[in-house]
Amino acid sequence: MTRPPDSIPAPPDPSRERLRRWLAEWKLLNALTSETDGEPQQPTGRSGAPLPLANEMPVQAGDIRLLHPRFEPDAPRYVAVAAARDVDTWLVVPFGLLSEPATPDEVVTGRSTPALRVLCPWNQFSMSTLMLQRCWLVDRLTDREAAWCQSTRPADRVGPPLRHPLDLRWDYLEMESDFRQRVCRRSRGGVTYDIAPPSELRKAAEDGAPYGDNSDGTEPDDERSGA
C-alpha cells in the first residue's frame, strides 16, 4: 500500500478565505473614509431632510425597509422587520455595510444587491410603527432569511470565529454598535406632535374676569383705604 505524499496541500479553509475577503473590504472601507477626513464636507441636506408623512401601508414582519436619512444620514442602510414586540414596537435586524459576514452572528443572504448581502441579528434594535412607516418598503424577507433573524444560522453562511483581542473586527463591531445607537437616538427624537387648529391654548375653566380687571365693581384696595 502506497502512502500519499506529504507534500499534498491541505484543502483551503472556507473560514479563512471568508475572513481574507472581509479584511480586504474592511481596509477598503477605511481607506475611503480616511480620504475624506480633514477635508471640508459639503452639507448634503440628508440629515435635515423633513420626515415624510407616515404612509398608510401597514408594517409587517418580513418587511425590508430603507431607513430615512433623518435616522441615518451617513449611508443608505436597510433593516428587516423581524417581529412585533408589542402593539406599537417592532424588532428590526439591520443589513451590514460589507458583503461578507464578519462573525458567526452575521449571515450572508446570497442577494445580488450589495446593501442586502449580510444580515446582522446580533445588532438588532427596536423601532416604532410610526418610524418604520416613514422608511421606504423595498422588499420582503424570504422564509429562510426570516428564520435566520430568529434562530441559528447555517454554518456555511456565517463569518469566522472572533477570538483574538486585536482582531480588526472588534473595530467593526464598535462602528456598527454606534450605528444602532445613532438610529435609536434619532428615532426617539424624531417624533412630532400635530396640534389641530386653533393653535391657541384654551383658557382655564374659570370664566371670571382676568386678573387686574375692575369690571366686577369692587374697588382696588388702595382706593378703599383712602390712599
Side-chain angles (χ1 to χ4, degrees):
M1 181 176 178
T2 305
R3 294 181 57 189
D6 296 335
S7 59
I8 295 179
D13 182 353
S15 179
R16 291 182 65 88
E17 286 299 305
R18 176 154 279 164
L19 179 58
R20 182 187 62 78
R21 293 193 299 269
W22 185 92
L23 286 171
E25 275 195 272
W26 175 246
K27 291 177 181 177
L28 177 60
L29 177 64
N30 278 274
L32 294 174
T33 303
S34 63
E35 285 181 1
T36 61
D37 290 346
E39 297 180 1
Q41 298 297 307
Q42 298 298 322
T44 61
R46 292 170 57 89
S47 61
L51 281 170
L53 295 176
N55 59 64
E56 297 180 357
M57 185 174 294
V59 177
Q60 301 180 42
D63 286 354
I64 298 177
R65 292 182 176 256
L66 171 62
L67 293 179
H68 190 275
R70 279 284 295 274
F71 304 144
E72 174 54 303
D74 294 348
R77 297 298 298 261
Y78 296 81
V79 297
V81 181
R85 301 199 69 172
D86 54 46
V87 294
D88 194 44
T89 308
W90 299 82
L91 185 69
V92 301
V93 173
F95 287 85
L97 280 174
L98 306 180
S99 63
E100 289 288 347
T103 72
D105 294 319
E106 296 187 354
V107 55
V108 63
T109 64
R111 289 176 178 261
S112 59
T113 304
L116 300 178
R117 287 179 180 171
V118 175
L119 271 169
C120 308
W122 68 271
N123 207 23
Q124 61 189 9
F125 54 91
S126 296
M127 293 186 72
S128 71
T129 299
L130 179 60
M131 295 300 105
L132 285 168
Q133 285 180 322
R134 286 173 163 170
C135 300
W136 295 279
L137 177 64
V138 297
D139 206 344
R140 297 274 302 169
L141 292 173
T142 64
D143 290 342
R144 65 176 184 173
E145 289 170 345
W148 294 339
C149 290
Q150 302 286 347
S151 59
T152 304
R153 274 66 66 183
D156 62 336
R157 286 183 171 272
V158 299
L162 179 57
R163 300 189 180 96
H164 198 283
L166 298 182
D167 195 310
L168 293 178
R169 288 176 290 168
W170 290 114
D171 295 335
Y172 161 78
L173 295 178
E174 182 178 358
M175 180 191 75
E176 289 297 273
S177 295
D178 289 343
F179 154 71
R180 179 190 69 241
Q181 295 171 21
R182 188 163 58 246
V183 174
C184 291
R185 183 170 59 251
R186 286 172 174 160
S187 297
R188 288 192 298 268
V191 178
T192 58
Y193 297 91
D194 297 325
I195 301 177
S199 59
E200 292 183 1
L201 297 176
R202 293 183 180 274
K203 296 181 179 179
E206 295 84 3
D207 57 359
Y211 177 79
D213 191 337
N214 207 23
S215 59
D216 59 357
T218 59
E219 295 181 353
D221 290 342
D222 55 351
E223 292 183 10
R224 290 199 302 270
S225 63

